[in-house]
């Protein structure tokens, strides 16, 4: 026997038994996104490496150590499997002139790639659903996105998710705060861990994001960005909070919420759960008003979020949210070569009438075929034996529900009507 080949660590298969939950999620999301007027955009999985270095930021975890970057051996191009969707979405919008004197409300779904240590809720290939809104500078869009997610949790039947909120202000405000923060952190250089030392001058806000218990007091007492916000940034943040209050959405102001990507300004937020251990953030986003210009477009305000679908799947499972079964309407059974041909034709006729039908292939005893029919979850079985074939009839058996076990023998041309009345 040939040696088997394994999948790549951290890159999972979604098997048929798990896919109903994914399809339930996708179905709910499609209706939800339509309800808010968001349009679908589909970008390639591979982009120029440069896009992410410039878009996500040179001194982020993603660019420093998580990217699947490679050189195309056929033409030497420097390429990267996308670690997130925003940069590619902005690239596509600029390239196709979608931001020229117009607003856009967009969404996408698909795999992202980050070379992280695989664990529960953390994979190397994972899926995100991302939403990006372009051309809106006002706080109503920040609030719309946050409230949309609260609505989604409700539509999905999820509970217990909480909202963390912060404002990062504008670039000047961050620069003033940063200078003070670096001065402050320099006093702790001896206690900072490797990551902390490395980030002190490149990304000092991230130093405050430390999970190290010994550094909590240092982080808590550090200069707060909040105290550096100007009037406009404060007013914008107040506008977001007012709309959240109107919608009855509770939030926790978290001055240490900074997000791992460089492009954010003003509003940042995370929807988190305590039910998934350390990987508790299921959706995260914020405003990124400078990114479009940074990637070569005309200045264009923007706000967006991404949610991790695997983490949502774990949460749906943990909260035992029932997902609709995907059982066929009819399972078609037969015995004998001539009857099998008639059954094959009957299955086609049922499908042409809008029914979901499994045709039993491969023969076998009636007993084993009925077992398969039951396993399929079909509501009805259509049975064509030699007797039925000779009489020009089919036998219809109810497999589930209150009428379970009931049987009807009807003329061939009454099959569809009878099934409709039993369904
Ligand atoms: P974390 O702090 O958990 O590493 P992040 O800040 O890197 O998250 P984002 O880049 O904001 O995450 O991505 C948005 C969402 O995508 C996250 O909140 C999470 O739900 C999901 N996500 C991010 N990285 C992974 C991963 N490696 N595996 C599974 N889901 C992920
Ligand atoms: Mg991360």
């Amino acid at each position: 026997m040939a040696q088997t080949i394994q999948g790549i660590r951290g890159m999972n298969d979604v098997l048929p038994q798990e896919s109903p939950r994914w399809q339930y999620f996708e179905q709910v999301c499609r209706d939800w996104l339509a309800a808010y007027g968001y349009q679908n955009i589909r970008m390639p999985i591979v982009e120029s490496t440069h896009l992410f270095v410039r878009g996500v930021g040179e001194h982020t975890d993603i660019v420093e150590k998580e990217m699947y970057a490679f050189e195309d051996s056929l033409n030497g191009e420097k390429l990267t499997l996308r670690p997130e969707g925003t940069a590619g979405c902005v690239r596509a919008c600029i390239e196709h002139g979608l931001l020229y004197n117009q607003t856009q409300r967009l969404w996408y779904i698909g795999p992202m790639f980050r070379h992280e240590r695989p664990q529960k809720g953390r994979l190397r290939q994972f899926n995100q659903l991302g939403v990006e809104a372009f051309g809106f500078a006002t706080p109503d869009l920040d609030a719309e996105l946050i409230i949309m997610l609260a609505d989604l949790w409700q539509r999905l039947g999820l509970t217990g998710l909480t909202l963390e909120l912060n404002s990062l202000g504008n670039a000047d405000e961050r620069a003033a705060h940063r200078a003070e923060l670096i001065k402050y952190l320099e006093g702790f250089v001896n206690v900072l861990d490797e990551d902390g030392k490395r980030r002190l001058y490149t990304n000092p806000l991230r130093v405050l994001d430390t999970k190290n218990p010994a550094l909590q007091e240092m982080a808590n007492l550090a200069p707060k960005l909040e105290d550096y916000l100007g009037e406009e940034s404060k007013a914008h943040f107040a506008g977001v909070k007012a709309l959240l209050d109107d919608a009855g959405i509770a939030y926790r102001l978290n001055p240490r919420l900074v997000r791992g990507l460089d492009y954010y300004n003003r509003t940042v937020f995370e929807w988190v759960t305590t039910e998934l251990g350390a990987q508790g953030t299921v959706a995260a986003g914020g405003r990124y008003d400078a990114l479009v210009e940074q990637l070569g477009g005309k200045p264009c305000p923007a706000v967006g979020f991404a949610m991790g679908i695997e983490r949502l799947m774990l949460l749906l499972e943990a909260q035992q949210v029932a997902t609709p079964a995907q059982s066929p309407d009819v399972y078609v059974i037969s015995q004998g070569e001539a009857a099998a041909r008639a059954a094959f034709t009957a299955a086609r006729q049922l499908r042409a009438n809008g029914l979901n039908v499994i045709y039993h292939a491969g023969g076998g005893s009636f007993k084993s075929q009925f077992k398969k029919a039951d396993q399929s979850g079909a509501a009805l079985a259509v049975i064509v034996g030699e007797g039925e074939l000779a009489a020009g009839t089919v036998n219809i058996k109810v497999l589930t529900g209150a009428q379970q076990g009931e049987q009807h023998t009807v003329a061939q041309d009454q099959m569809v009507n009878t099934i409709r009345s039993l369904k």
Side-chain angles (χ1 to χ4, degrees):
M1 265 205 326
Q3 216 183 350
T4 58
I5 297 170
Q6 311 264 285
I8 307 300
R9 187 166 129 83
M11 303 197 179
N12 287 356
D13 302 300
V14 176
L15 301 177
Q17 78 211 50
E18 306 158 57
S19 65
R21 197 174 277 129
W22 286 75
Q23 289 179 312
Y24 166 72
F25 169 78
E26 287 161 3
Q27 187 57 50
V28 170
C29 283
R30 254 184 279 281
D31 294 343
W32 164 67
L33 290 157
Y36 291 80
Y38 283 73
Q39 291 182 295
N40 184 220
I41 180 169
R42 300 173 190 228
M43 299 84 65
I45 284 168
V46 179
E47 299 270 3
S48 147
T49 296
H50 199 56
L51 174 71
F52 300 114
V53 174
R54 218 201 297 170
V56 175
E58 224 173 316
H59 301 296
T60 56
D61 279 355
I62 290 181
V63 171
E64 277 180 352
K65 53 189 187 195
E66 295 175 359
M67 289 212 302
Y68 281 91
F70 60 99
E71 206 173 280
D72 184 336
S73 62
L74 299 177
N75 63 8
E77 272 185 292
K78 290 193 163 59
L79 304 176
T80 290
L81 301 185
R82 63 182 186 191
E84 55 96 61
T86 304
C89 184
V90 169
R91 195 264 315 137
C93 286
I94 296 170
E95 190 169 329
H96 302 288
L98 301 190
L99 306 180
Y100 199 73
N101 286 335
Q102 52 191 323
T103 59
Q104 296 286 348
R105 283 176 159 100
L106 304 174
W107 69 276
Y108 49 81
I109 188 168
M112 306 294 162
F113 302 83
R114 298 184 193 176
H115 198 102
E116 305 196 68
R117 192 170 66 79
Q119 52 199 292
K120 184 181 171 189
R122 192 175 295 287
L123 297 158
R124 291 182 171 171
Q125 173 170 338
F126 62 101
N127 288 270
Q128 284 186 340
L129 189 148
V131 170
E132 319 283 357
F134 297 101
F136 303 95
T138 43
D140 44 7
L141 242 294
D142 314 39
E144 175 171 297
L145 295 184
I146 294 169
I147 293 167
M148 264 175 91
L149 284 165
D151 182 12
L152 179 62
W153 312 145
Q154 199 165 15
R155 287 172 185 244
L156 287 169
L158 291 173
T159 57
L161 287 143
T162 58
L163 174 61
E164 306 256 311
L165 194 62
N166 190 22
S167 173
L168 302 179
N170 65 27
D172 290 342
E173 291 153 8
R174 276 202 305 283
H177 169 253
R178 183 191 153 101
E180 286 307 307
L181 182 59
I182 290 176
K183 265 193 235 161
Y184 173 82
L185 292 174
E186 281 172 340
F188 295 88
V189 81
N190 294 326
V191 293
L192 289 181
D193 52 21
E194 274 312 301
D195 273 347
K197 283 197 188 93
R198 194 165 44 84
R199 287 178 177 144
L200 199 143
Y201 297 101
T202 57
N203 203 341
L205 268 181
R206 282 293 267 180
V207 180
L208 301 184
D209 206 17
T210 176
K211 305 235 160 40
N212 184 342
L215 300 178
Q216 293 309 305
E217 185 171 286
M218 173 213 75
N220 283 330
L221 297 176
K224 292 194 172 33
L225 181 50
E226 201 184 329
D227 299 328
Y228 292 77
L229 297 189
E231 286 313 310
E232 274 186 44
S233 291
K234 277 187 189 156
H236 185 95
F237 198 35
V240 177
K241 288 186 282 188
L243 288 169
L244 294 178
D245 292 338
D246 287 353
I249 309 262
Y251 47 84
R252 188 175 84 92
L253 294 177
N254 178 358
R256 281 167 56 188
L257 180 64
V258 296
R259 311 286 308 111
L261 300 87
D262 266 1
Y263 47 59
Y264 289 108
N265 67 300
R266 288 197 169 158
T267 320
V268 289
F269 63 90
E270 291 190 356
W271 278 101
V272 299
T273 172
T274 52
E275 290 176 64
L276 300 179
Q279 275 62 250
T281 303
V282 293
R287 191 162 269 287
Y288 52 95
D289 295 325
L291 184 63
V292 175
E293 193 178 10
Q294 204 176 306
L295 291 178
K298 278 194 177 176
C300 177
V303 54
F305 64 74
M307 64 180 129
I309 304 180
E310 281 78 3
R311 291 186 193 177
L312 275 168
M313 293 304 117
L314 290 170
L315 199 55
L316 286 169
E317 195 181 352
Q319 298 193 3
Q320 300 182 345
V321 174
T323 52
Q326 293 167 325
S327 312
D329 301 310
V330 182
Y331 195 98
V332 176
I333 284 172
S334 64
Q335 191 96 93
E337 206 176 305
R341 282 181 70 175
F344 194 82
T345 303
R348 289 178 51 224
Q349 192 193 345
L350 291 167
R351 291 188 199 104
N353 282 277
L355 294 157
N356 297 336
V357 181
I358 295 181
Y359 168 79
H360 179 88
S365 67
F366 267 136
K367 193 172 166 216
S368 69
Q369 293 189 48
F370 270 116
K371 206 167 157 194
K372 287 267 162 55
D374 281 329
Q375 285 167 354
S376 78
L380 302 165
V382 164
I383 303 121
V384 188
E386 269 151 15
E388 283 86 4
L389 185 64
T393 61
V394 298
N395 185 252
I396 299 166
K397 186 172 176 191
V398 180
L399 300 179
T400 58
Q403 269 73 52
Q404 189 175 352
E406 212 175 78
Q407 296 206 34
H408 302 264
T409 301
V410 300
Q412 242 293 322
D413 60 3
Q414 288 307 305
M415 173 180 71
V416 171
N417 283 341
T418 310
I419 283 177
R420 283 215 176 109
S421 71
L422 289 169
K423 238 191 91 199

